[in-house]
Amino acid sequence: METYTEFIYRVDSFEKPDLSIGNGKFIPDQRVLEKINESNGFNPFFGDTIVFNLSSNDREKISVIINELYENTPECFCERIGNNTLHMTLHDLNNSPKVDRVIAHVTSNKARLVTILRKHPINFLTIKMKSHYIINMVNTSLVLALCPVNEAEYKKLMYLYYLMDEIKELPYPFTPHITLAYYNRDGFNESSAQKLKELVYKLNKSSIDITLDIKNLVYQRFDSMNDYQNVLYLVTS
């Protein structure tokens, strides 16, 4: 496991106040086409995940940021993510535009999670996070990167992460974030790109506090990037 110092060093290497979307016209990664249709609405997209749903107070903080993005640069994004969908992913599991590619995994993952929780019940806790910067996430979306406020909070978060790793180990390191918006599938011109950079730089001058509550940690299944269903809360009392 990365130490807290190593984690901060890694995320500091690419999470910057300046938005990294290159110069000129912006073309999103082709993976956006799987999730976003030709009308810039959400495509069917299937899978499961483990997330922290956000408190109403923290959803409101995120909504203020999203409002700024859509009021000033709406041409850069697809359909807006619903406020009730906003979350911080703890651990990715499975996803595909074809339901038959994930159905077997999704069917077994709930049972595997129940077994893990019986062996390692999770005590009630909260994890205090602070926003780092709004960043470009692999040319698919704009996200708000988060960091635990100190080493103790980091250790709590990573304990949960590696517990979920027993369901499915991932080949990439954990970068906590909240997705704010998926890009317009057709991209946007140089003028809009510059306007978005200026807006994000302004927004990145301030940060917000986010509190992850274990009672909001949930195993979810989804049918699109805007349609998540709570299946199992990891702490029920």
Side-chain angles (χ1 to χ4, degrees):
M1 183 179 82
E2 286 181 309
T3 66
Y4 181 59
T5 300
E6 289 168 340
F7 167 80
I8 294 297
Y9 181 81
R10 174 173 61 83
V11 298
D12 276 349
S13 71
F14 63 89
E15 295 177 2
K16 306 290 186 182
D18 295 293
L19 184 63
S20 178
I21 56 173
N23 299 312
K25 182 178 180 179
F26 176 78
I27 302 296
D29 187 277
Q30 290 298 295
R31 284 172 289 184
V32 170
L33 306 186
E34 293 183 332
K35 299 175 179 179
I36 307 301
N37 63 35
E38 292 181 357
S39 300
N40 268 306
F42 290 99
N43 264 334
F45 194 76
F46 307 96
D48 58 351
T49 183
I50 296 170
V51 311
F52 279 98
N53 285 326
L54 302 180
S55 69
S56 58
N57 183 50
D58 286 344
R59 284 200 306 270
E60 181 58 33
K61 295 176 189 176
I62 301 301
S63 180
V64 169
I65 297 172
I66 297 174
N67 286 345
E68 287 267 357
L69 296 171
Y70 276 83
E71 286 171 6
N72 292 282
T73 54
E75 71 276 15
C76 296
F77 306 110
C78 75
E79 176 185 352
R80 180 170 173 160
I81 296 170
N83 281 1
N84 289 335
T85 300
L86 295 171
H87 61 261
M88 193 206 83
T89 301
L90 174 68
H91 202 290
D92 293 320
L93 293 173
N94 301 279
N95 63 79
S96 173
K98 303 292 185 182
V99 68
D100 58 354
R101 295 178 185 171
V102 297
I103 189 65
H105 298 293
V106 168
T107 300
S108 65
N109 280 346
K110 180 182 176 183
R112 296 179 70 183
L113 178 58
V114 168
T115 299
I116 290 167
L117 294 175
R118 284 175 181 162
K119 291 171 58 180
H120 306 283
I122 301 169
N123 294 322
F124 179 85
L125 54 83
T126 58
I127 302 172
K128 296 187 182 301
M129 309 285 284
K130 181 175 285 288
S131 67
H132 199 197
Y133 293 121
I134 297 168
I135 64 169
N136 171 33
M137 182 60 80
V138 296
N139 285 351
T140 63
S141 56
L142 205 61
V143 309
L144 181 66
L146 302 176
C147 288
V149 297
N150 57 39
E151 185 173 8
E153 301 301 287
Y154 173 75
K155 286 180 177 178
K156 289 191 287 187
L157 183 65
M158 296 311 295
Y159 171 79
L160 295 172
Y161 177 83
Y162 281 108
L163 204 57
M164 299 305 104
D165 233 20
E166 295 184 27
I167 302 175
K168 180 178 181 177
E169 188 172 348
L170 299 174
Y172 47 83
F174 180 37
T175 302
H177 65 273
I178 298 168
T179 300
L180 302 175
Y182 287 92
Y183 293 125
N184 183 321
R185 62 172 275 147
D186 300 315
F188 40 89
N189 62 31
E190 181 178 359
S191 174
S192 292
Q194 184 58 37
K195 187 164 58 169
L196 180 59
K197 286 181 182 180
E198 292 171 359
L199 175 60
V200 167
Y201 185 78
K202 183 190 78 170
L203 292 171
N204 279 337
K205 289 182 178 180
S206 59
S207 64
I208 59 174
D209 296 321
I210 298 288
T211 299
L212 304 176
D213 194 324
I214 198 70
K215 70 184 180 184
N216 293 327
L217 182 59
V218 61
Y219 169 68
Q220 293 184 331
R221 294 172 182 164
F222 53 85
D223 300 312
S224 80
M225 292 293 90
N226 199 36
D227 184 11
Y228 290 75
Q229 302 90 45
N230 296 331
V231 177
L232 178 69
Y233 283 89
L234 276 62
V235 173
T236 56
S237 62

